[in-house]
């Protein structure tokens, strides 16, 4: 592997003609669809059945992405998602949501960052127009929206001949499992100066091997964790530090002694035992929070969010430290909503949840988590109303005495929110988001 | 003419043990505390043969100067504080009496000495999250521990009226309250035995199985008065030879499949799966208490218990029946590994080359 091969990037998609604005112009580029399937989609659009055509293309795209991810092994996918219920016998079609599929595909280089963004935008459109609410309100998918959806699907998924995880990622993964890297390796140095996104993925890959690997793969993974962790720890996002602590707890609970020893050694080097959860309560909170976030990005979220937010709320306002970030993120995504609106019933419940969060926990989230919270930053960057809503929350939770506790990038964001400066909030959020991915 | 006074010489076992306990505390860097050595002595005396309401108990006692600091690197610890009092020599046995009946099933008694405040805090602590998590001893003293620099000792009954005091520095003081010739038990063979028992398990499960079997054997052997364990290769020929040679025994129609139960725990992650694993483990622990040999395969399945081998007779050199049986097991050439634990806590292990 050359020094330039470490950092993986997904393909930039097939080149569609700049003036391609009809299904007839775009769909022929979908190599993964048969001629008959292409013809059906074009006919659907010509007949005005834009929703049928768009949905069909969307489904085929998601199936293709999941098929690519499956090549890495469903157990690995489960580890990357932090879902222990996914194992080698799981049907990935049944458990992976569209949002998770797109996010993971972007993370593992099946699609590039632009493709990830475009497909997430398309997901938001399609989940809105296929929801009960849109049906009740008599809203229909327009030709423009339909073209937006099929354009993203064809360019980044269905137009590609071979769609698989980035070769560089596969090579890196193999190398992490098959050799013990040295500090002087150029790949190590390159990774240390990479954006958060890459570092996070490497840490997740190594932790997944620690939790389920064996033999030489396990030994190499543990050695590499012990190499990387002290170097990465000072700048490591809080969620990733918790991931290491939680992995240590899990392998110890399962009696995987070799893995427990290796992770313990790594945590000793960085003094990271504060990130080992004391009880299993945090697991319950995190699971409930993840359910809210999954529902938010899935179909009919207007209706599915309220009961799930209610479940999270009922667990109690004393959120265990390992679950604080996930819970606040869950509440925020519901309050900020998506491009099409907010589930107001869920948002009212989420506001109660935010109000119940202790001030020091909220400051912890602002300082340590929000600069790397891709989900919330994305909303603050691209959803018009989100900045204003965020500003209201911050004004409510951050008192004058707390301002001095705000640090770094979080300070800029929070101060903009306290001033009610929505454009500035968007600007800072976008800058933080770009820093994560480039 | 007056009668000569008889010569009286006194051998104080108490003073000898007390002096050794003081030595342990000094070696483990405990701060000076006048009442601690005597208090610990009374604990050792009690733990050697602890009975409560006619029932034998085997409480384990952890004595430290900073419990929270000691457990900082342990993933999970459940603590119940029972009492706080001034440090007196009386307080140690009083705390033991309150806690011992509760210190079963993974719970260990802790006593935290604070010489600054002259207070001792005592209660119960457990480090177990599931049936498969490592034992307390392994996490605090064994290969999963690390040197915190915090003075700590661990007191446990290891045989009939035999108590071991382990220090974090690695030293062990064995106090035998019998006058029998007792070989100092410095090495714990249980982990070695567990390794042999799980040797041929599947690669991705061996670690978990070995840990689980270690835990099962440690708790089972603690509660029994000596045991004989044999390991046989898990193949049809070896098992056939076993059954033909060792006819006096109770063979299970369906051997207890320990790795299978653990795989279910991992796959299902349900309370039912963990309960099932625990229930079968409880049976195996009880088998160890039976007279005779308990037979494992090298894939951690339990084949038989209450088995008897023809011993080589009194001329073999060994005096006890268990020791003679152990030698006969080795001489039979049926087993890949033989293990013997005497009532006094002496352990011996033999492995075929």
């Amino acid at each position: 592997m050359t020094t330039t091969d470490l950092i993986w990037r997904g393909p930039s998609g097939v080149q569609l003609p700049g003036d391609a604005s009809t299904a007839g112009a775009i769909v022929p580029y979908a190599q993964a669809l048969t001629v008959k399937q292409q013809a059906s989609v074009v006919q659907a659009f010509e007949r005005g059945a834009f929703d049928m055509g768009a949905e069909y293309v969307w489904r085929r795209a998601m199936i293709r992405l999941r098929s690519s991810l499956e090549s890495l092994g469903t157990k690995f996918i489960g580890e990357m998602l932090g879902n222990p219920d996914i194992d080698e016998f799981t049907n990935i079609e049944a458990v992976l949501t569209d949002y998770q599929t797109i996010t993971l595909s972007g993370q593992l280089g099946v699609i590039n960052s632009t493709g990830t963004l475009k497909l997430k935008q398309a997901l938001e459109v399609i989940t809105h127009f296929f929801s009960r609410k849109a049906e009740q309100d008599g809203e229909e998918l327009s030709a423009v929206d339909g073209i937006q959806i099929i354009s993203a699907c064809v360019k980044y998924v269905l137009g590609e001949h071979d769609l698989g995880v980035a070769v560089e990622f596969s090579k890196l993964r193999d190398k992490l499992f098959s050799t013990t890297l040295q500090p002087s390796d150029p790949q190590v140095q390159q990774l240390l100066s990479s954006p958060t996104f890459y570092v996070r993925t490497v840490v997740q890959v190594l932790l997944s091997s620690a939790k389920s690997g064996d033999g030489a793969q396990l030994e190499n993974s543990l050695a590499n964790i012990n190499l990387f962790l002290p170097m990465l720890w000072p700048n490591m996002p809080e969620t990733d530090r918790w991931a290491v602590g939680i992995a240590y707890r899990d392998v110890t609970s399962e009696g995987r002694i070799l893995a427990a020893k290796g992770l313990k050694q790594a945590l000793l080097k960085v003094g990271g035992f504060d990130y080992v959860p004391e009880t299993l309560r945090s697991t319950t909170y995190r699971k409930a929070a993840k359910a809210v976030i999954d529902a938010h990005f899935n179909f009919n979220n207007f209706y599915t969010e309220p009961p799930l937010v209610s479940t999270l709320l009922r667990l109690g306002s004393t959120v265990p430290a390992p679950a604080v970030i996930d819970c606040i993120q869950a509440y925020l995504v519901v309050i900020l909503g998506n491009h099409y609106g907010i589930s107001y019933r869920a948002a009212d419940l989420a506001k109660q949840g935010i109000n119940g969060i202790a001030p020091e926990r909220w400051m912890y989230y602002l300082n340590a988590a929000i600069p790397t919270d891709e989900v919330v930053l994305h909303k603050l960057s691209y959803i018009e109303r989100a900045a204003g809503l965020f500003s209201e929350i911050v004004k409510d939770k951050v008192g004058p005495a707390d301002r001095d506790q705000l640090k770094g990038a979080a300070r800029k964001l929070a101060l903009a929110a306290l001033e009610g400066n929505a454009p500035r909030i968007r600007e800072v959020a976008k800058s933080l988001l770009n820093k994560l991915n480039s | 003419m007056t009668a000569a006074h008889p010569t009286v010489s006194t051998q104080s076992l108490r003073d000898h043990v007390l002096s050794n306990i003081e030595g342990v505390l000094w070696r483990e860097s405990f701060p000076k505390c006048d009442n601690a050595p005597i208090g610990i002595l009374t604990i050792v005396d009690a733990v050697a043969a602890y009975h409560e309401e006619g029932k034998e108990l085997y409480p384990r006692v952890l004595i430290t100067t900073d419990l929270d600091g000691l457990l900082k690197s342990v993933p999970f610890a459940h603590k119940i504080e029972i009492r706080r009092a001034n440090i007196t020599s009386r307080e140690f046995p009083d705390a033991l009496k309150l806690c011992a009946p509760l210190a079963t099933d993974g719970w260990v008694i802790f006593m935290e000495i604070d010489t600054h405040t002259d207070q001792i805090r005592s209660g119960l602590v457990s480090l177990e999250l599931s049936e498969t998590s490592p034992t307390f001893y392994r996490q605090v003293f064994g290969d999963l521990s690390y040197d915190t620099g915090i003075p700590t000792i661990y007191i446990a009954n290891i045989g009939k009226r035999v108590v071991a005091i382990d220090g974090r520095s690695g030293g062990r003081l064995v106090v035998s309250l019998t006058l029998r010739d007792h070989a100092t038990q410095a090495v714990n063979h249980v982990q070695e035995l567990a390794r042999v028992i799980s040797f041929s398990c599947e690669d991705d499960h061996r670690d978990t199985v070995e840990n689980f079997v270690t835990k099962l054997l440690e708790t089972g052997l603690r509660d029994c008065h000596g045991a004989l364990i044999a390991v046989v290769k898990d193949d049809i020929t070896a098992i056939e030879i076993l059954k033909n040679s060792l006819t006096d025994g109770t063979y299970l129609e369906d051997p207890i499949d320990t790795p299978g139960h653990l795989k279910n725990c991992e796959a299902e992650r349900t309370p039912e799966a963990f309960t099932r694993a625990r229930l079968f483990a409880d049976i195996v622990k009880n088998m160890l208490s039976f007279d005779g040999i308990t037979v494992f395969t090298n894939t951690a399945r339990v084949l038989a218990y209450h088995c008897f081998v023809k011993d080589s007779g009194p001329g073999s050199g060994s005096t006890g029946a268990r020791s003679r049986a152990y030698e006969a097991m080795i001489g039979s050439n049926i087993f890949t590994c033989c293990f013997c634990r005497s009532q006094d806590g002496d352990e011996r292990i033999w492995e075929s080359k």
Side-chain angles (χ1 to χ4, degrees), chain B residues 109-129:
Chain B
I109 299 169
F110 75 83
M111 294 184 189
E112 184 187 65
I113 299 171
D114 185 345
T115 49
H116 297 298
T117 58
D118 198 36
Q119 289 266 295
I120 178 168
R121 183 168 75 112
S122 53
L124 298 159
V125 61
S126 171
L127 305 185
E128 296 190 17
L129 191 64

Side-chain angles (χ1 to χ4, degrees), chain B residues 246-280:
Chain B
L246 215 66
T247 52
D248 186 5
T250 307
Y251 287 85
L252 303 176
E253 188 68 33
D254 276 324
I256 295 175
D257 184 10
T258 311
H261 293 304
L262 293 178
K263 265 193 209 171
N264 286 340
C265 290
E266 200 180 329
E268 295 174 24
R269 292 178 189 271
T270 57
E272 290 81 7
F274 282 100
T275 299
R276 211 161 41 238
R278 183 181 55 75
L279 286 173
F280 279 100

Side-chain angles (χ1 to χ4, degrees), chain A residues 75 84-85 87 211-215 218 248-261 264 268 273-274 276-280, chain B residues 72-78 127 129-134 138-139 143-146 203-205 207-209 211-212 266-269 274:
Chain A
K75 201 167 165 95
D85 295 329
D87 60 22
K211 286 197 271 186
S212 55
D214 57 69
L218 174 61
Y248 168 60
R249 183 204 60 194
D250 289 347
V251 297
T252 308
S253 170
E254 290 165 22
R256 291 172 57 83
I257 302 297
L258 191 60
K261 279 188 206 174
K264 184 167 193 165
L268 271 167
F273 289 107
D274 287 337
V276 179
E278 288 177 3
T279 68
L280 286 179
Chain B
K72 194 165 170 62
S73 70
V74 174
F76 31 80
H78 317 289
L127 305 185
L129 191 64
S130 71
E131 295 303 321
T132 48
S133 50
R138 195 165 190 183
Q139 293 196 65
D143 53 348
L144 285 174
S145 68
Y146 82 101
D203 285 346
D204 56 352
H205 273 101
D207 213 12
T208 304
V209 173
N211 171 61
F212 186 80
E266 200 180 329
E268 295 174 24
R269 292 178 189 271
F274 282 100

Side-chain angles (χ1 to χ4, degrees), chain A residues 97 99 120 123-124 127-128 288-306 308-309 329-343 346-347 350 375-376 378-379 383 385:
Chain A
T97 64
Y99 181 78
K120 281 184 177 173
L123 173 64
E124 210 168 312
T127 52
H128 171 71
K290 277 194 178 356
V292 169
I293 294 167
D294 282 347
H296 177 76
F297 288 107
N298 219 338
F299 290 87
N300 279 317
N301 65 301
F302 192 85
Y303 295 100
T304 56
E305 281 178 14
L308 292 169
V309 177
Q329 187 188 67
Y331 289 139
L332 281 178
V333 301
V334 169
I335 293 169
L336 301 179
N338 62 23
H339 279 103
Y340 293 94
I342 298 174
S343 171
V375 174
V376 170
H378 189 273
K379 287 187 183 293
I383 298 177
R385 86 177 88 75

